[in-house]
Amino acid sequence: MQSLTDVQNTAFMAIGPSRIAALSLLALSQGQSDSADTEPKAVLDLSVQRLNAAYAMLGSGLDELLEECRYSLPEPLEAKRKACRQVLQPLHKAISKSEQDVLQQLRAIPGLSDLCLFQLEPVISDFLKDMVHNLREAQQLREVQREENMRTTIANAESVGRNIKFISFNASIEAARIGDMGKGFAVIATEIRDLSGKTQTLLEEISSYLKH
């Protein structure tokens, strides 16, 4: 199972590039190019790919990753995610058309320049910032809780080990009382006691690693 840190990185890498993709599409729709050496079709294809990836991640993609980690975003952050989907929707709708119509569809978007230059970037960036912060804190909390659970489990195992050692010690005494008939049982009890001691030592070592 992925950690929330893995989800954070995957989502960030899918959503973040949508900002530069939107600017690239704006430049192409205005007949501009970022570099004379770059083919407009290559820029268009890459920008379309990035926007599609971001739109998908902001929808079911992120839901699936979070569900796998058994985590859900808090309501304020969920609202910001929906805002990202909403601000990307006009661009996503335009690039979903056939390739030859993409630039024409982009030019038909009302306020395209304002959308790409002033609306999309702050909304996406704000969500990414809060998402990273939220998932990082949630993962740290999970790690702390996991360590506490491990310490509790080890403590319980140590207690069981001590009880087994005590029982085996008593069994050795009882075996000694019945003389020759109890010799075989005494050997087994001694082995159990030794094994219990080794197990307890190992658990104590593991516990000491967790405390550092």
Side-chain angles (χ1 to χ4, degrees), residues 85-97:
R85 285 265 295 184
Q86 186 174 358
V87 78
L88 283 175
Q89 191 169 15
L91 293 173
H92 181 260
K93 183 178 180 180
I95 64 177
S96 299
K97 304 295 182 181

Side-chain angles (χ1 to χ4, degrees), residues 148-164:
E148 290 179 353
N149 292 340
M150 289 176 66
R151 289 192 183 97
T152 300
T153 300
I154 290 173
N156 291 336
E158 289 174 340
S159 177
V160 171
R162 286 191 294 270
N163 289 335
I164 292 174

Side-chain angles (χ1 to χ4, degrees), residues 158-184:
E158 289 174 340
S159 177
V160 171
R162 286 191 294 270
N163 289 335
I164 292 174
K165 192 172 184 179
F166 179 72
I167 292 171
S168 64
F169 180 75
N170 286 341
S172 297
I173 294 175
E174 292 300 321
R177 286 180 179 177
I178 59 176
D180 291 341
M181 295 179 60
K183 285 183 178 180

Side-chain angles (χ1 to χ4, degrees), residues 111-166:
L112 176 64
S113 296
D114 185 66
L115 173 64
C116 295
L117 293 173
F118 304 111
Q119 296 181 33
L120 188 147
E121 197 283 331
V123 171
I124 298 290
S125 295
D126 185 52
F127 169 73
L128 290 176
K129 176 177 67 68
D130 288 354
M131 179 197 70
V132 168
H133 179 74
N134 177 267
L135 295 183
R136 180 183 297 141
E137 282 197 338
Q139 182 61 33
Q140 289 173 349
L141 183 61
R142 285 187 169 191
E143 290 172 357
V144 169
Q145 186 63 51
R146 185 185 298 115
E147 288 186 3
E148 290 179 353
N149 292 340
M150 289 176 66
R151 289 192 183 97
T152 300
T153 300
I154 290 173
N156 291 336
E158 289 174 340
S159 177
V160 171
R162 286 191 294 270
N163 289 335
I164 292 174
K165 192 172 184 179
F166 179 72

Side-chain angles (χ1 to χ4, degrees), residues 13-49:
M13 293 300 294
I15 300 169
S18 64
R19 295 168 291 185
I20 189 65
L23 296 177
S24 297
L25 289 176
L26 175 62
L28 289 172
S29 70
Q30 295 177 344
Q32 303 171 4
S33 178
D34 294 336
S35 171
D37 298 330
T38 303
E39 289 290 336
K41 185 179 184 306
V43 175
L44 177 62
D45 290 345
L46 181 58
S47 299
V48 168
Q49 178 184 342

